[in-house]
Amino acid sequence: PGVGRDLSFFVERNVSAAALLASVRAAGGPHLHDVALFDVYEGKGVPEGQRSIAVTISFRAPDRTLKDEEVDRSFGEIMSALTATHSAHIRKA
């Protein structure tokens, strides 16, 4: 079975969704199955000059169930890449 995670973050308005998705794919590791954009928001609660982007990310191994540690490691790499490459700020719940 696959494992899904959602990720929401703030980025500058000029950062394209396509560039963000490409960064997720590049950093996701061998078990990244899919990434999809599901929300873009600008307005109340979003810092000036930025927008909120949310993606859903799924991980899967073809031959076994992934361990939490494997998914956590890949998810951490994705968050680090978005921060380093696009100055993304992860939204806290």
Side-chain angles (χ1 to χ4, degrees):
V3 177
R5 300 270 174 97
D6 290 342
L7 179 60
S8 186
F9 47 90
F10 296 118
V11 292
E12 297 294 322
R13 280 191 185 135
N14 64 344
V15 176
S16 74
L20 293 166
L21 294 175
S23 292
V24 171
R25 288 184 185 102
H31 301 300
L32 178 70
H33 177 69
D34 193 27
V35 59
L37 178 72
F38 72 86
D39 187 51
V40 177
Y41 174 74
E42 295 179 28
K44 186 176 181 180
V46 177
E48 183 68 32
Q50 297 190 346
R51 60 185 169 162
S52 171
I53 303 279
V55 296
T56 188
I57 304 167
S58 62
F59 301 92
R60 180 173 294 161
D63 58 340
R64 63 188 173 81
T65 300
L66 292 172
K67 296 179 181 175
D68 287 339
E69 298 82 22
E70 293 173 298
V71 175
D72 291 345
R73 185 173 37 253
S74 293
F75 197 71
E77 290 293 326
I78 290 168
M79 291 190 309
S80 294
L82 291 174
T83 300
T85 306
H86 304 288
S87 300
H89 300 283
I90 305 304
R91 290 184 62 181
K92 305 294 181 195

